[in-house]
Amino acid sequence: MSYLEVRDLVYVYEDGTRALDGINLSIDEREFIGLLASNGGGKTTLLKAVVGLFKARPGSILIDNKPLSKLKRIDLARAIGLVFQNPNDQLFASTVEEDVSFGPRNLGLTDAEVEERVETALEMVDMLAHRRKPIHHLSFGQQKRVCIAGVLAMRPRILLLDEPTAGLDPKSEANLLHILGRLNKEAGVTIVMATHMVDLIPLFVDRIFVLKEGRITIEGTPDTVFSSTQVMEEVDLRLPYITHLIEELKHKDQLPFDKLPLTLKDARSKLVSLMPDNIFSGSE
Amino acid sequence: MRRHNVEIFSDYFAQRSNVLTAIDARVKLFFVLAVLVLVLVSKDLPILITVMFASLGALVMIGIPPKMVLARLAAPLFMAGVILLLQGLFFGETPIYTLEAMGLSVPLYREGIEKGILIAGRVLAGTSSIIFLSMTTPLHKILSALKFLRVSEEWLAVLAFAYRYIFVFIEEAQSIMDSQRLRLGYRGLLTGLRSWGTLVGSLFARVFDQAQATHDAMLLRGYNGAIYIERPQALRRSDLSAGILFSSLFLLLLTLDFYWR
């Protein structure tokens, strides 16, 4: 049985926009899931429905086999955490440690337990050195990491992230994704990341759900989802740049690729294997 | 422009490490509250001037640029000027100077000016001592000290929220204004007024959106109506020494006030 199960979920905004239109998905523990969609595809609405901020009807959401509507708020907070896209939505306290300690204190933990959780969560996102800093003195990337720490300190079994890399420079983006990868692989946190960033996602996720107009149109491993340009164009997305290049080489230059590589590392090893041996030893 | 606006309100200097920031917030808070009471009851201009220069001088001595100190004092200075002028224009009987403008003669009265100087002095001395506190103490430490004084936690939470989001909304207002300015939104008086009205309206809408989003995020982290304010740590020997020094300074001011009266 999956840890998170969404069945036939529908959500219609007051203006009649059908943001979710019969969503079905199931997520197991320790999985790293990518929720891929172009703008307005329904990613944020789905995340907010899963944490109970939007009451989606009809349809049902089961967390650990219990209906979401039957869970107490405190149990829901222990089960699932959402990191908002805009750090200002989430970070309200004066200092980093005050903000991160907010959730654990609401769980009724002792001061020592709160302190331990704050320290561990900040360490996980490499922000321990900044614990006494005021929030408004942090860079945007640091604020994002504190947001994640604030949710991690609740020790949820699933961490949902709404466009965690939006607005970050390439270095901070890669840094953040490595932190998430580490959380998933080493700490065993189940991660669901909503994004439209196709270039880095194949490096980390186990499965991808592609949303278009409130429906899941493709589902599967990165290899399945990024199988061709045509498939991606149908959902208003694109292939990772490196995959697109290899696809062009395959179709326009007839280079013999059986499977499209999704990462630089894979593409490099494929290309190297196709090159004649003497190309690497200069003029010899 | 944006950076400047934010820096005026920022507690950047309070976060630095120096002899004044190291003192416990309760010691500074008690001292400033006592000085504020003195400023309110004192009728001696030299006392008010001493408080003002001592507060601002201490800030300059710990390395805060005088420009930044003056920038913080700019608004109260303007208010003090307005108060002085209004008192001089409307209160008193003995004209000391007559302003001539557009065929009108407007006298300034001695009694009004004297009273205005006293009120302006109180405004400047009071705000200087508060600037002293805010530029040497981060807000979360002031909140802890206020908690120690048994100030209601609801008030402290409101204060904490205001402090956290003031920077967000200053940036937001500045972005809207920049975008309006780039599209000639402040070209003339009427256009400017219209743009200003739109800015204020948009800002209100964003404040409500922000409040909703923050509340949602807090609920997801188990918010139950309480915001935790850190308890102050035990006073150290250096804090007690600072307390003794501040008390002596305060007694000196009281004595001077008594003799000068």
Side-chain angles (χ1 to χ4, degrees):
Chain A
M1 188 70 196
S2 304
Y3 186 70
L4 171 68
E5 186 119 10
V6 176
R7 292 182 193 152
D8 304 319
L9 200 71
V10 174
Y11 187 80
V12 183
Y13 280 102
E14 283 173 8
D15 65 357
T17 308
R18 210 171 169 82
L20 301 178
D21 192 7
I23 298 280
N24 283 291
L25 57 84
S26 61
I27 293 167
D28 294 328
E29 282 200 89
R30 304 178 81 96
E31 271 195 300
F32 197 138
I33 300 290
L35 208 56
L36 206 57
S38 55
N39 293 333
K43 302 183 294 281
T44 303
T45 311
L46 177 57
L47 294 183
K48 289 193 170 178
V50 167
V51 293
L53 287 176
F54 289 167
K55 308 286 177 224
R57 279 194 191 89
S60 59
I61 297 166
L62 302 174
I63 294 172
D64 205 9
N65 215 15
K66 291 180 199 95
L68 177 75
S69 53
K70 297 273 191 289
L71 284 176
K72 285 184 192 159
R73 184 154 288 286
I74 198 157
D75 294 329
L76 181 63
R78 282 195 187 105
I80 199 159
L82 171 64
V83 178
F84 283 62
Q85 183 178 349
N86 180 0
N88 285 330
D89 292 350
Q90 198 177 314
L91 305 176
F92 67 89
S94 313
T95 63
V96 169
E97 64 180 359
E98 261 181 45
D99 201 277
V100 178
S101 68
F102 175 71
R105 284 194 194 286
N106 290 331
L107 293 177
L109 303 174
T110 62
D111 282 355
E113 286 169 317
V114 171
E115 172 58 24
E116 188 270 322
R117 283 198 180 198
V118 169
E119 208 165 306
T120 310
L122 285 173
E123 203 157 17
M124 280 172 161
V125 296
D126 300 331
M127 284 297 290
L128 195 55
H130 303 275
R131 62 182 300 170
R132 308 225 185 267
K133 273 198 177 176
I135 300 290
H136 59 276
H137 286 190
L138 302 177
S139 71
F140 190 70
Q142 289 172 331
Q143 288 188 358
K144 289 240 176 189
R145 282 191 272 156
V146 175
C147 283
I148 295 174
V151 176
L152 282 177
M154 305 284 289
R155 307 250 164 104
R157 292 175 65 184
I158 299 189
L159 183 63
L160 310 178
L161 300 112
D162 190 3
E163 305 254 13
T165 55
L168 293 181
D169 59 63
K171 193 181 167 195
S172 311
E173 186 181 89
N175 191 5
L176 186 69
L177 283 170
H178 279 106
I179 287 170
L180 294 178
R182 211 169 60 208
L183 283 174
N184 176 249
K185 297 286 175 285
E186 292 169 18
V189 180
T190 308
I191 293 181
V192 179
M193 181 171 78
T195 184
H196 51 236
M197 180 197 57
V198 293
D199 291 298
L200 282 171
I201 203 169
L203 283 169
F204 300 94
V205 302
D206 301 311
R207 281 193 300 147
I208 296 174
F209 291 93
V210 181
L211 279 161
K212 189 188 178 188
E213 293 166 3
R215 291 193 196 98
I216 291 177
T217 50
I218 318 170
E219 171 190 342
T221 62
D223 284 329
T224 319
V225 171
F226 296 118
S227 57
S228 77
T229 304
Q230 197 192 341
V231 171
M232 283 288 100
E233 278 177 356
E234 279 169 14
V235 290
D236 302 327
L237 291 167
R238 62 167 174 81
L239 287 177
Y241 282 126
I242 191 66
T243 315
H244 195 187
L245 170 70
I246 302 294
E247 193 189 40
E248 297 262 301
L249 289 171
K250 181 179 176 181
H251 294 297
K252 295 185 179 164
D253 304 296
Q254 277 74 50
L255 283 187
F257 289 103
D258 47 347
K259 201 177 98 183
L260 292 177
L262 303 177
T263 63
L264 267 179
K265 191 180 162 194
D266 288 349
R268 179 177 161 268
S269 63
K270 293 244 179 199
L271 285 169
V272 166
S273 70
L274 291 173
M275 288 175 184
D277 289 343
N278 62 1
I279 198 168
F280 299 106
S281 49
S283 55
E284 282 181 23
Chain B
M1 178 73 181
R2 178 176 307 159
R3 197 176 140 72
H4 182 65
N5 275 349
V6 174
E7 272 179 359
I8 287 177
F9 293 101
S10 170
D11 62 352
Y12 170 74
F13 295 104
Q15 299 292 339
R16 297 202 307 196
S17 183
N18 56 53
V19 66
L20 288 178
T21 54
I23 300 170
D24 187 277
R26 283 166 291 180
V27 175
K28 284 182 275 185
L29 187 66
F30 274 124
F31 176 63
V32 167
L33 288 175
V35 167
L36 280 176
V37 172
L38 175 67
V39 161
L40 280 176
V41 297
S42 174
K43 290 183 176 170
D44 293 320
L45 202 57
I47 287 288
L48 301 176
I49 292 172
T50 307
V51 168
M52 184 175 122
F53 280 101
S55 303
L56 303 181
L59 296 176
V60 175
M61 274 174 63
I62 57 166
I64 299 177
K67 246 189 192 174
M68 192 53 67
V69 177
L70 284 175
R72 285 229 179 158
L73 199 65
L77 205 57
F78 173 74
M79 293 292 288
V82 171
I83 290 168
L84 180 62
L85 188 67
L86 290 177
Q87 291 287 329
L89 287 174
F90 297 111
F91 299 97
E93 291 165 351
T94 324
I96 49 166
Y97 185 74
T98 306
L99 298 168
E100 304 280 352
M102 293 184 291
L104 289 171
S105 300
V106 185
L108 281 174
Y109 299 106
R110 174 185 298 280
E111 296 80 1
I113 290 288
E114 282 171 0
K115 197 176 168 198
I117 288 174
L118 183 64
I119 299 173
R122 282 177 177 159
V123 168
L124 293 175
T127 46
S128 298
S129 55
I130 289 179
I131 290 170
F132 167 80
L133 179 68
S134 68
M135 284 187 125
T136 57
T137 323
L139 189 92
H140 68 278
K141 289 191 178 167
I142 297 179
L143 293 179
S144 292
L146 288 169
K147 184 179 177 175
F148 177 79
L149 289 179
R150 304 262 184 265
V151 173
S152 139
E153 297 228 348
E154 286 74 18
W155 279 105
L156 298 183
V158 170
L159 206 61
F161 274 114
Y163 171 74
R164 165 69 184 102
Y165 283 103
I166 192 168
F167 302 102
V168 175
F169 291 121
I170 289 172
E171 292 258 353
E172 194 76 49
Q174 196 68 58
S175 301
I176 299 173
M177 188 177 256
D178 287 348
S179 119
Q180 290 174 325
R181 194 166 276 150
L182 288 173
R183 287 177 290 158
L184 308 178
Y186 293 91
R187 202 167 48 125
L189 184 65
L190 274 180
T191 323
L193 279 174
R194 204 174 299 126
S195 297
W196 177 251
T198 315
L199 185 152
V200 173
S202 307
L203 209 56
F204 263 110
R206 289 188 195 190
V207 165
F208 285 114
D209 283 348
Q210 183 67 71
Q212 183 64 52
T214 303
H215 185 242
D216 284 349
M218 289 170 76
L219 282 180
L220 291 179
R221 290 200 284 159
Y223 176 58
N224 53 17
I227 301 280
Y228 178 78
I229 308 280
E230 201 183 345
R231 278 187 293 269
Q233 291 172 341
L235 290 172
R236 295 158 302 170
R237 192 169 289 175
S238 58
D239 297 321
L240 296 174
S241 310
I244 292 168
L245 179 69
F246 282 157
S247 307
S248 313
L249 277 174
F250 182 69
L251 284 175
L252 179 68
L253 284 171
L254 264 184
T255 315
L256 288 174
D257 187 49
F258 179 76
Y259 279 110
W260 281 337
R261 192 175 291 171

